[in-house]
Amino acid sequence: MTTRRQFLQQSAGFTFAIGAGGFISACGAGGPDSASVTSGGSGAEPLQANIWVTIHPDDSIVVKYAGTEMGQGSMTHVPMMLAEHLDADWDKVTVEIVTTHDTAYGNPVFLNMLYTAGSTHVMIYGEKMKVAGTQARKLLKSAVAKQWDVALSELDTELGVVVHASSGRRISYGGIVADIDIPPDIPEIDDSDFKPEENFRYIGKQVMRRDVPSKVDGSAEYSIDVQVPGMLYAAILRAPVEGERPLEVDDVSAREVKGVTEIVVLPYGIGVVGNTVEATQKGKSRLKVTWSEDSAFRHVSTDTSIAEYVGAAKDLSIKGVAWASKGDATGAIDDAAVVVTAMYTTDPAYHAQMEPLNATASVSDDGKSAEIWVGTQTQSLTIIGAAELLETDEANITLHPMTMGGGFGRRSLLRQQYIDDALLLSKAVKRPIKVIWSREDDLEAGHFRTAAAQYMRGGFDNDGKLIAVHHRVAAPAILETMNRHRWAVVKPKDVITMLGSENTTYDIAHHLAEHIRQPRASRVIAFRGVGTGYTKFAMECFIDELAHSKNVDPMEFRLQLCHDNARMTRVIETVADMADWDRKREPGIGLGIALSGYHKSLSAGIVELSVDSVTGRIQIYKFWAVGDPGRVVSPRNAKAQVDGNIIFGLSSTLSERISVKNGIVEQTNFHNYRIMRANEVPDIESIVLSTDNPSSGVGELGTAMVAPAIANAIASLTGRRIRHQPLTPDIVAAALKG
Amino acid sequence: MISFIVNGTSVDVDAEPDTPLLWVIREHLKLTGTKFGCGMALCGACMVHIDGETAYSCVTPASAVQGKKITTIEGLSPESAHPLQKAWVELEVPQCGYCQSGQIMRAAVLLDKNKTPSREEIVSHMSTNLCRCGTYPTIVKAIQRASGQS
């Protein structure tokens, strides 16, 4: 039997094998020190039952949260799942964010890094919370059973209290910690120990997110709000073209600005340091810099890059890296009776998180340790990246992960430039430095959703059955630029680029999704939905094209292809019902459907719209959406996420485009990168189904189905296919002309 | 030296006259509830009340508020008891939350002038404030709730 000390020491990346005998296997390296374990004896010491939960003699409980919060809610919901299984009073629980790169808390999807992305947090940590909470509950019960000399089976729990029904004796969890010897051994658990779902108080119910009250009174602290004693501010003038450096710097006028204290030349730009934000901004505006003008990106523009991607996608002699493969798609298409092909293109898009990127850092005088305050999606990569920059040990980096004013994938790099900015400047001037990027900086130095070209080929047999789909994605390897360590492990398969191109939805005998790697046209990164943002556009538009080629209603076509996928069928039928798909609309109003889904979560959407073929303006009347993320942890939050995703998708489809011209991002602020406003939001009706499947995430569920639903609706209205995203008025008008 | 009243308190700030009020509030006065979003009066995250009207503090020079009354999100209501704040919490409006100070400040002047705005009036009025997380539908519901319309 494993002792708690051993358990705590071995707890990195563990999985639990629970079954007969309740065997627990712990594997992997690392683990926190077990200084606060109580073993034997009693008293005022808190009980660290496992790495996730500590119970105090006063009944208060601390649960660790391994992620970070960006509005998705998992900082409440995941610890809440532990409280549920511990049968603790959630009101007595405090959540503590893990601030160190401790792989014991890591996410196995991301090589045991602490990394909040890919809608994985509830999916992965929910299981850990279930086991940790159940174990802790059994530990407490076992201690009482021994002390009261009763059978374990005679004890039950009620919201933080152990109860012995037959004698009426009760003791709170805090009371147990205070007065009863806790055995050092971790109890084995099996299925019979888990709290039955019908007894859930919190999971699946309405529990307020803990971060909400501070977000309505101005007290929530984002990294841009940080105040550190002795802090100076900094503005960065970055080389407009990636990879260039300053050659000549005329800072005479900048230094004359009252409040500017130092001007620091960096490898990629200039840092203007000062006593006030305004001084640094003014100083930056007065710099005159000659750049090296030697970057290869000077010759890169998104239009020409996309044209190259198109050429590569179409050239079948260029073999890509298979991302997903079933049967022999290329062979089946060669033999097919009818082949349909289509090319789809995608422009880059900007996260437009409302908080411009920023970081505060305080580097020690010897340059070998640092304290960082930053909104980040990854404690681990931030610490690793900072240690790398300073050429020091990770243990010397103290991180304060702050709540984020929007993440959407933007804050997930190994080396985040705004953190590098703050570290380098703090090291240079030996003061804490708060670097605040302007919105213009945020766009100019943006990492974007990639541009892409996708060539789809579909083959029908003699009976008119769709038997093969070949999906060629010509795009950069995004993961390579995000985190070269992770890329080294997983290459050449790039989940960020390719996600969504695997076919888990339709019954198609032969399917191949391959990645034809291309040089990037801009800095690139995961963008909400990652690959699904464009792979679902291609696939869902193509499914409509295939349906139309056979004169089959696209809804009916999908249902036929999902004949063996009951879960997806239910989602499709539900949304079809909501939208009354079969009801004929007035002339000029059309419907389009698309499925997306994200990992194992499913979704389908229908849009009702009209389009002005002269101006290209699309008028969206209504969007219906159904999501199925498995067992829903928080119904209200899940719906808020789905609705938010749809608005994100509508905005990025209708009015957002990043264009790079000769290495320079052409968009500079919200006047030329337009995001959807309150008076532009159509009527949205959404349902989130809680189904008997493992919880699989809602944070990116819905974005990807918007663009194809819109393109499909326009096609059904006008007969014209628009095979490009975004569907901005100029693109739409050009496609509908003539 | 620029003197004005913030949330009922008189302040004297040593800042250049052309300093955006946003930075005076946030970094000089340490009232960080008002947010920086774009610097060009396009997003509304920086909204405060100046003499009872919303203003984009990012493009308002400090000199322009000499002698004026400013209200920030921190001063909207003691104990965060404004009906809008209560509705915002009840309906769990914020996601990342960064835009919400500006949203609430903007909504507050609507209800000051129009006790029961229609849905069209609400979305038209609120179109000045961007939300990237897409909380617009719940913002509308919260304003309707705060105005006793739902």
Side-chain angles (χ1 to χ4, degrees), chain A residues 162-395:
Chain A
V162 171
V163 175
H164 185 235
S166 53
S167 69
R169 291 177 79 179
R170 303 166 66 86
I171 180 165
S172 75
Y173 291 177
I176 299 167
V177 170
D179 296 333
I180 294 184
D181 288 356
I182 313 284
D185 303 312
I186 297 172
E188 296 166 357
I189 59 172
D190 60 39
D191 287 350
S192 67
D193 291 306
F194 293 133
K195 185 192 231 192
E197 270 181 54
E198 56 265 25
N199 298 348
F200 282 173
R201 275 178 243 277
Y202 304 122
I203 299 174
K205 315 273 188 236
Q206 205 95 296
V207 175
M208 161 126 66
R209 273 178 32 227
R210 289 278 177 91
D211 52 322
V212 163
S214 67
K215 289 175 175 175
V216 309
D217 66 5
S219 64
E221 194 183 15
Y222 300 81
S223 59
I224 201 171
D225 302 325
V226 162
Q227 300 282 338
V228 172
M231 181 179 90
L232 293 173
Y233 298 93
I236 309 287
L237 176 66
R238 197 166 232 101
V241 178
E242 181 187 350
E244 296 190 346
R245 63 200 185 287
L247 289 183
E248 284 168 33
V249 182
D250 174 357
D251 61 9
V252 170
S253 174
R255 284 181 189 277
E256 286 165 2
V257 172
K258 180 176 168 208
V260 168
T261 55
E262 283 200 56
I263 303 219
V264 179
V265 177
L266 301 166
Y268 47 79
I270 319 291
V272 178
V273 180
N275 294 313
T276 63
V277 175
E278 57 270 23
T280 62
Q281 291 177 342
K282 198 179 269 187
K284 172 184 166 183
S285 72
R286 294 205 187 160
L287 289 170
K288 297 183 191 52
V289 179
T290 311
W291 302 102
S292 56
E293 299 193 11
D294 54 1
S295 169
F297 281 101
R298 272 197 184 254
H299 309 291
V300 175
S301 300
T302 38
D303 287 349
T304 45
S305 290
I306 290 173
E308 284 162 16
Y309 296 176
V310 166
K314 192 158 187 189
D315 182 351
L316 298 177
S317 72
I318 305 175
K319 299 286 171 236
V321 170
W323 168 252
S325 175
K326 179 184 172 197
D328 173 17
T330 50
I333 288 174
D334 284 345
D335 295 340
V338 173
V339 177
V340 177
T341 67
M343 179 72 70
Y344 300 90
T345 51
T346 302
D347 277 317
Y350 167 53
H351 302 72
Q353 81 292 338
M354 291 312 301
E355 180 189 12
L357 295 170
N358 60 84
T360 301
S362 180
V363 176
S364 59
D365 283 352
D366 67 0
K368 287 303 174 191
S369 56
E371 195 170 357
I372 303 172
W373 296 256
V374 68
T376 176
Q377 290 178 237
T378 168
Q379 297 92 315
S380 292
L381 295 189
T382 301
I383 289 168
I384 293 169
E388 201 174 83
L389 176 74
L390 294 176
E391 294 177 346
T392 189
D393 294 332
E394 290 160 19

Side-chain angles (χ1 to χ4, degrees), chain A residues 615-677:
Chain A
T615 63
R617 299 211 85 80
I618 299 169
Q619 168 97 37
I620 310 248
Y621 300 108
K622 193 141 181 183
F623 200 100
W624 295 267
V626 174
D628 171 0
R631 276 182 220 96
V632 170
V633 176
S634 164
R636 181 170 50 195
N637 189 61
K639 181 166 160 55
Q641 286 302 304
V642 168
D643 289 347
N645 262 270
I646 292 163
I647 292 170
F648 197 96
L650 286 167
S651 185
S652 61
T653 301
L654 296 173
S655 67
E656 298 180 31
R657 181 208 262 133
I658 287 290
S659 55
V660 177
K661 190 131 182 107
N662 300 323
I664 299 201
V665 178
E666 293 189 297
Q667 289 71 31
T668 56
N669 207 311
F670 292 128
H671 60 292
N672 50 27
Y673 191 85
R674 294 195 60 253
I675 71 180
M676 185 166 265
R677 292 183 179 271

Side-chain angles (χ1 to χ4, degrees), chain A residues 71 209 215-217 222 224-225 227 233 278 282 350-351 354 439 636 640-641 656 669 676-677, chain B residues 16 18-19 26-28 35-38 42 80 85 90 92 94-98 127 132-133 136:
Chain A
R209 273 178 32 227
K215 289 175 175 175
V216 309
D217 66 5
Y222 300 81
I224 201 171
D225 302 325
Q227 300 282 338
Y233 298 93
E278 57 270 23
K282 198 179 269 187
Y350 167 53
H351 302 72
M354 291 312 301
R439 180 60 60 184
R636 181 170 50 195
Q641 286 302 304
E656 298 180 31
N669 207 311
M676 185 166 265
R677 292 183 179 271
Chain B
E16 295 302 301
D18 64 350
T19 304
R26 286 184 51 80
E27 310 294 322
H28 293 255
K35 303 303 187 196
F36 169 58
C38 69
L42 293 166
S80 309
Q85 289 169 313
E90 268 168 44
E92 210 169 82
Q95 289 184 24
C96 88
Y98 193 77
S127 63
R132 187 46 158 174
C133 298
Y136 301 126

